[in-house]
Amino acid sequence: LFGYLLLLLIGAAMTVVMQSSSAAVATTLAALHAGAIGFGQAMPLVIGQAIGTTVTAAIAVIGATTAAKRTALAHILFNAATGGIALLMLPLYIYVFGKVEASLGEPPGAVSLAAFHTLFIAVGVLVFLPFAGQFARFIERLLPEKKSAVTRYLDASLLLMPSVAAEAARNSLREVALRLMRALLHTVRPEGPSAGGGEILDKAEALRAMEGIRSFLGGIPLSPGEERTGEVRIALFHALDHLTQLANLPLEPLSAGPTAGPAFRSITEGVGKVLAGALSALEEEGASVRMENLETLSREVAALRRGERLRLLGETGGGKLDAEGTLRMLDLIRALDSAAYHAWRTAFYLRSEKVADGKGGGD
């Protein structure tokens, strides 16, 4: 057993020095073919070479995101466990391959070693595959996410790849938009569900997240040949501006008061439809949502707001309504109108095909 462990360590060291398990395995195959080592010695070397790849993975994720570290840790644990299983089963493997080659009339050679390498990795996959979900959750517990869930995509290392960085910013903005719009929809429809559930963000959380996204977007370098990324970044800044306006709307608590007329209910229903449509458009299955429909709904809300404003001012001037209540109502319907408009425009700019085009029309 001590000899096997020593050979395993030598194999791992070969991978670390060569920075390639393939090169280390090829060297072992050449040594076996030349008769420099025996089949029983080559097998623990190959196991060690597979385990040695974990060192490269560990080095590669220094300073990386939590997701990258989780991937590396899963790789390390899988390879280590697979190597341990193979080492425990090594006498059985040597016996089986010896019998197979004896039946063929040849001693175990390079082909057998390659087959062994494939076999012990396959055994590891078969052992781990039924527990993949539990294994993933175990890794997540070992390395919990430190960033906010909505900014987990942002990684400074992505700035070296402007197009990838822009997509990471879009994903973060999309998360903020989804959670913020769910909260607003629940405000507009307090008696109903917040668009099928899901996590929400309050104003302070949304603004903090957007500040981080704004800083990340501003740090994306634009080099010659990156004109499309520049167009995408412009679209994302449009979306960021609309989201900021959305987060700052004074919609809580949503109280109509005695000055509300019949049009107020139509306004709130229209805003609810726009928010629900924008949420659907930003979800993965929302490709069928047409932006033209959201625009039409938003314009209908704006028309209702203008009509309600004229009614409120006219009745207040005629002494039928209290001036203070009218001003509060005007602020409320103005905020509702803005919510519909900014939700529509946010969805317009964050839809993946709009971002990919780097277009979206003026505001």
Side-chain angles (χ1 to χ4, degrees), residues 32 39 94 97-98 101-102 106-110 112-113:
L32 177 63
F39 189 73
I94 293 173
F97 277 93
E101 293 293 345
E106 295 182 6
S112 296
L113 186 62

Side-chain angles (χ1 to χ4, degrees), residues 22-43:
S22 299
V25 171
T27 302
T28 304
L29 287 169
L32 177 63
H33 182 72
I37 58 175
F39 189 73
Q41 296 170 311
M43 294 174 84

Side-chain angles (χ1 to χ4, degrees), residues 73-107:
L73 180 59
H75 173 68
I76 291 168
L77 293 181
F78 171 78
N79 277 32
T82 299
I85 293 170
L87 190 62
L88 291 174
M89 296 177 62
L90 196 56
L92 176 62
Y93 283 131
I94 293 173
Y95 174 78
V96 169
F97 277 93
K99 285 291 186 182
V100 170
E101 293 293 345
S103 67
L104 297 176
E106 295 182 6

Side-chain angles (χ1 to χ4, degrees), residues 238-246 341-342 345-346 349 363:
H238 274 288
L240 182 60
D241 177 51
H242 287 294
L243 266 181
T244 302
Q245 299 299 323
L246 206 57
Y341 174 75
H342 292 301
R345 296 307 287 175
T346 297
Y349 282 111
D363 287 322

